[in-house]
Amino acid sequence: MNKRNATSADVAILAGVSQSTVSRSFDSNSRISEATRQRVFAAAEQLGYQINKAAQTMIKQRSDLVGLVTAGLEDPFRSEFLHKLIAEVQNSGLRPMVMDVSNRQTIDEELHGLIQYQLSGVIITSGTPSESIGKAFIKYGIPVVLINRTEHSDEADIVNLDNESAGAMAAEAFMKSGKTNLIVVRAKTPSFSSVMRAKGFLNYLASHVSNDEIQAKEVLCESGNYDGGYQVAKEILASAYKPDGVFFCMDHIACGFLDAAKQLITTKDMEDIGVIGCDDIALARFKAYDLTTVRQPSDEIAKAALQTLLNRLKHPTSVPTKQAISAELVYRSTLAKPITN
Amino acid sequence: MNKRNATSADVAILAGVSQSTVSRSFDSNSRISEATRQRVFAAAEQLGYQINKAAQTMIKQRSDLVGLVTAGLEDPFRSEFLHKLIAEVQNSGLRPMVMDVSNRQTIDEELHGLIQYQLSGVIITSGTPSESIGKAFIKYGIPVVLINRTEHSDEADIVNLDNESAGAMAAEAFMKSGKTNLIVVRAKTPSFSSVMRAKGFLNYLASHVSNDEIQAKEVLCESGNYDGGYQVAKEILASAYKPDGVFFCMDHIACGFLDAAKQLITTKDMEDIGVIGCDDIALARFKAYDLTTVRQPSDEIAKAALQTLLNRLKHPTSVPTKQAISAELVYRSTLAKPITN
DNA sequence: TTGTAAGCGTTATCAC
DNA sequence: GTGATAACGCTTACAA
């Protein structure tokens, strides 16, 4: 193969210009005569020249690399969301560097590994364990965007789903459908998103509960996934408290519940129980579930996160922002849209 | 924040040694007195020093960055596989840089974007569009590992699932269960894996077919996903050819089929039809499907891919390798394990 | 508009 | 075992 990749110096010689002229030719902001630029491009093309990002990073003090810190990719929402983030990073002309911190043992080591690459920024998504993981980056002057996390950082930008409203939307939908015995299910291990969703759900209902208009209670399942929902179904359906509306803080849990319910009770009985999920993962749209859910607009959130990061790169010293993206109720067959006039 | 991150020169001053000694202290191969090394480490710790990878890359001519080129992350197998690859890359002390080339428009641009980062290697997974995408990297002296792709490259290492055997396993399982009217389903748009699986399936059956012992035919569905399976169910179940065994080249398609079947025919009738998927995605283990499938050992494949890459980095000029990883039949409820003696 | 030259922070090659 | 010193390939004043 090649002995050595072409450098700007090689291009300069071939084009008959100085090395710095080559460099300028690839910088759209530099004013350079169109003639020489074309000559440089031709030479570059001929040699297969590509800018060496390592050298560029050294001098510019930024790599255009964005760290995407995540965990628990077996969770379909997180996985789907990561893909959206990756796409957005690419669209912004940056490069994604994924770091999965599921393995708590090696977090520190991995973290420093990331810092060494002179990241332009880091996006930390929900599910990532340590609360203070962002601090480490900020300490090294790397901008941080937190997504759906509990921290009240005054140094990092924050993008959240409006989780409380999401929960309230589910509650409102049940009320509109005339449901009276409600349950909200979340995983035993608290996560920021789930806790806030459950809180929003119960808060919305609080006044109706004190009226004795309806009943509402919270149920915790073992794990925040399909199996958790599958297991909790027995508890919910066998108990004396007969729910007619169940809100799951994650779609995935709802799907497990629905599958278990099919075996535990008749289709007829199931029809009377409204089910709402949250997130709107791909699975929720499957015919097997066709789950009514509170959609988390992950495209929007990913876009917002990147826009936030780009703004910060432009204005490094501006005041950190905090935004909440609205959820949206999507009616499917597990809770029919009530007829309105 | 910090004005500037600490450099090895800063550490050198604080530790009272030369800059090169600092550098050596962080290289486990350099022989250095334990005393000075500890002194350097202490100083480094105090200053929060981290090696600057950009500078290191310049001199070492390698970045420890591995490009993961993929496409179609909405396909659950690809998505799950990418996560495994990411984990393996991290385990190897390297950093993953994901490139999603789903958007055909920008492939070339993106590709060059990757090359600029002086990647240590690139892993190209199935589903990636252009056949010659690996060539570009090889041209720049970047080692390439191809996974489950059709190319017969003599410059890149190749790791494949033994797709033909996978298909044969499904066929064998149907034969053992006494099934006689078989179908293999794959997506209309040919992909290397699917075509080979279907081929392996039909080849295994060929002799039995010419005996008139059994019948076997291939059916194409519109798309290689859940919806494709959902749609093709009508065609399969309504036709005069009554299958008692259907092999789907991807689990995802099988799941769509199963959901549609529940609405089209009785549970009783469905019991007579054996269904086998391929890949063993997370969904296949869901109670709703509990799909018998030919497992693609994605952990093993990811491990093999990385081991291959590491070997190549050690021995850049060795002859390219080609390995096939074996599949494994996993019995679940859509085709019961036949009783053997 | 273009060329010259000074870094950016490492590692590698020599001496000592 | 340790310290000078020369690269690595780029961007960016400063000069012309």
Side-chain angles (χ1 to χ4, degrees):
Chain A
M1 259 58 67
N2 300 22
K3 47 261 112 219
R4 188 175 60 85
N5 289 335
T7 71
S8 57
D10 300 331
V11 176
I13 293 171
L14 182 59
V17 296
S18 75
Q19 183 272 327
S20 44
T21 298
V22 174
S23 174
R24 275 189 281 259
S25 302
F26 285 94
D27 174 13
S28 49
N29 297 326
S30 282
R31 277 175 305 282
I32 222 173
S33 86
E34 202 46 35
T36 49
R37 172 168 274 156
Q38 289 314 323
R39 202 143 36 90
V40 168
F41 281 179
E45 170 85 345
Q46 190 180 328
L47 296 175
Y49 169 71
Q50 292 292 329
I51 290 181
N52 183 324
K53 271 284 182 186
Q56 190 185 62
T57 298
M58 283 204 64
I59 192 79
K60 285 203 161 182
Q61 305 281 26
R62 49 177 284 204
S63 60
D64 298 334
L65 244 32
V66 177
L68 302 179
V69 180
T70 181
L73 290 177
E74 61 283 350
D75 178 312
F77 177 76
R78 294 211 193 113
S79 168
E80 290 173 20
F81 184 58
L82 176 65
H83 302 333
K84 304 252 169 75
L85 274 179
I86 288 173
E88 284 303 323
V89 170
Q90 289 192 188
N91 286 344
S92 309
L94 303 170
R95 291 283 148 198
M97 206 155 128
V98 179
M99 172 171 170
D100 181 353
V101 293
S102 297
N103 186 350
R104 308 191 68 129
Q105 312 289 315
T106 57
I107 289 183
D108 261 29
E109 195 185 325
E110 305 263 8
L111 218 112
H112 289 143
L114 272 198
I115 290 170
Q116 297 177 343
Y117 280 96
Q118 317 297 109
L119 302 184
S120 290
V122 173
I123 297 176
I124 300 180
T125 68
S126 67
T128 307
S130 163
E131 296 263 326
S132 60
I133 203 166
K135 304 272 188 205
F137 291 102
I138 289 172
K139 188 179 141 201
Y140 284 94
I142 301 172
V144 170
V145 177
L146 301 171
I147 299 183
N148 260 340
R149 293 178 60 72
T150 176
E151 283 103 315
H152 307 290
S153 174
D154 49 353
E155 306 183 285
D157 293 294
I158 296 181
V159 177
N160 281 347
L161 174 71
D162 189 344
N163 286 295
E164 285 199 60
S165 297
M169 279 180 182
E172 188 187 4
F174 282 140
M175 292 299 295
K176 278 189 187 162
S177 297
K179 304 294 187 183
T180 54
N181 282 29
L182 304 179
I183 289 182
V184 52
V185 178
R186 66 167 176 87
K188 197 153 89 178
T189 312
S191 79
F192 173 68
S193 300
S194 291
V195 168
M196 296 312 268
R197 289 168 190 181
K199 185 178 163 195
F201 184 84
L202 293 172
N203 279 355
Y204 181 93
L205 298 174
S207 60
H208 301 93
V209 168
S210 49
N211 279 352
D212 277 340
E213 218 180 310
I214 62 151
Q215 299 185 65
K217 68 172 206 172
E218 185 176 60
V219 169
L220 304 183
C221 60
E222 279 304 310
S223 52
N225 55 25
Y226 180 89
D227 290 333
Y230 197 88
Q231 286 163 19
V232 85
K234 292 183 202 82
E235 183 184 332
I236 290 177
L237 297 173
S239 119
Y241 184 96
K242 293 289 176 198
D244 57 3
V246 188
F247 172 52
F248 293 88
C249 289
M250 294 161 73
D251 285 344
H252 213 195
I253 305 178
C255 292
F257 172 86
L258 289 172
D259 280 341
K262 279 170 198 153
Q263 304 185 354
L264 294 170
I265 63 175
T266 66
T267 312
K268 184 101 192 61
D269 285 344
M270 192 57 216
E271 270 169 16
D272 297 331
I273 306 179
V275 173
I276 303 181
C278 197
D279 283 341
D280 198 17
I281 60 177
L283 203 58
R285 289 185 291 272
F286 276 27
K287 307 290 188 301
Y289 303 108
D290 201 36
L291 180 68
T292 293
T293 192
V294 182
R295 201 173 99 76
Q296 170 161 20
S298 47
D299 313 61
E300 258 182 70
I301 296 178
K303 273 196 174 61
L306 252 109
Q307 197 51 58
T308 302
L309 182 58
L310 294 176
N311 284 343
R312 166 113 353 251
L313 292 178
K314 267 192 190 156
H315 313 290
T317 58
S318 63
V319 173
T321 61
K322 179 164 187 170
Q323 49 193 309
I325 310 284
S326 300
E328 172 199 7
L329 187 66
V330 180
Y331 279 103
R332 297 205 185 91
S333 59
T334 60
L335 181 77
K337 182 166 188 168
I339 295 99
T340 52
N341 333 336
Chain B
M1 256 64 57
N2 299 23
K3 46 262 114 217
R4 190 175 59 85
N5 290 334
T7 71
S8 56
D10 300 331
V11 176
I13 293 171
L14 183 59
V17 296
S18 76
Q19 183 273 329
S20 35
T21 297
V22 174
S23 175
R24 273 191 283 260
S25 302
F26 285 93
D27 174 13
S28 48
N29 296 327
S30 282
R31 278 175 305 282
I32 221 173
S33 86
E34 201 46 35
T36 49
R37 173 168 272 155
Q38 289 314 322
R39 199 141 40 89
V40 168
F41 281 178
E45 169 86 346
Q46 190 181 328
L47 296 175
Y49 168 72
Q50 292 292 328
I51 290 181
N52 183 325
K53 271 284 181 185
Q56 189 185 61
T57 298
M58 283 202 64
I59 192 77
K60 284 203 160 180
Q61 305 282 28
R62 48 178 285 203
S63 61
D64 297 335
L65 242 34
V66 177
L68 302 179
V69 180
T70 180
L73 291 177
E74 61 284 350
D75 178 311
F77 177 76
R78 296 213 191 109
S79 168
E80 291 173 20
F81 185 57
L82 177 64
H83 302 332
K84 303 253 169 73
L85 274 179
I86 289 173
E88 283 303 322
V89 170
Q90 289 191 189
N91 286 345
S92 309
L94 303 170
R95 292 283 148 196
M97 207 155 130
V98 179
M99 172 171 171
D100 182 353
V101 292
S102 297
N103 186 349
R104 307 191 67 128
Q105 313 289 315
T106 58
I107 289 183
D108 261 30
E109 196 185 325
E110 306 263 9
L111 218 111
H112 288 142
L114 272 198
I115 291 170
Q116 297 177 343
Y117 281 96
Q118 317 297 109
L119 301 184
S120 289
V122 173
I123 297 175
I124 300 180
T125 67
S126 68
T128 307
S130 163
E131 297 262 325
S132 60
I133 203 166
K135 303 271 188 204
F137 292 103
I138 289 173
K139 188 180 141 200
Y140 285 94
I142 301 172
V144 170
V145 177
L146 301 172
I147 299 184
N148 259 340
R149 293 179 61 73
T150 176
E151 283 102 316
H152 307 291
S153 174
D154 49 353
E155 306 182 286
D157 293 293
I158 296 181
V159 178
N160 282 347
L161 174 71
D162 189 344
N163 286 294
E164 285 200 58
S165 298
M169 280 178 181
E172 187 188 5
F174 282 140
M175 292 299 294
K176 278 190 189 160
S177 298
K179 304 294 187 183
T180 55
N181 282 29
L182 305 179
I183 288 182
V184 53
V185 179
R186 66 169 175 85
K188 197 154 88 179
T189 312
S191 78
F192 173 68
S193 300
S194 291
V195 169
M196 296 313 267
R197 289 167 190 181
K199 185 178 163 193
F201 184 84
L202 294 172
N203 279 355
Y204 181 93
L205 299 173
S207 60
H208 302 94
V209 168
S210 49
N211 279 352
D212 279 339
E213 216 181 310
I214 62 152
Q215 300 184 65
K217 67 173 205 171
E218 184 176 60
V219 169
L220 304 183
C221 58
E222 280 304 310
S223 52
N225 55 27
Y226 180 88
D227 290 334
Y230 197 88
Q231 286 162 20
V232 85
K234 292 182 202 83
E235 184 185 333
I236 290 177
L237 297 172
S239 119
Y241 184 96
K242 295 288 176 201
D244 57 3
V246 189
F247 172 52
F248 293 87
C249 290
M250 295 161 70
D251 284 344
H252 214 196
I253 305 178
C255 292
F257 172 86
L258 289 172
D259 280 342
K262 280 170 198 153
Q263 304 184 354
L264 294 171
I265 62 174
T266 66
T267 311
K268 184 102 192 60
D269 284 344
M270 192 58 215
E271 269 169 17
D272 297 331
I273 306 179
V275 172
I276 302 182
C278 196
D279 283 342
D280 198 17
I281 61 178
L283 204 58
R285 289 185 290 272
F286 276 29
K287 307 290 188 300
Y289 303 107
D290 201 36
L291 179 69
T292 294
T293 193
V294 182
R295 200 173 101 75
Q296 170 162 18
S298 48
D299 314 59
E300 256 181 72
I301 295 178
K303 273 196 173 60
L306 251 107
Q307 197 51 57
T308 303
L309 182 58
L310 294 175
N311 285 343
R312 167 111 354 251
L313 292 178
K314 268 193 190 154
H315 313 289
T317 58
S318 63
V319 173
T321 60
K322 180 165 186 168
Q323 49 194 312
I325 310 284
S326 300
E328 173 199 6
L329 187 65
V330 180
Y331 279 104
R332 297 206 184 90
S333 59
T334 60
L335 180 77
K337 181 165 189 169
I339 296 98
T340 51
N341 334 338

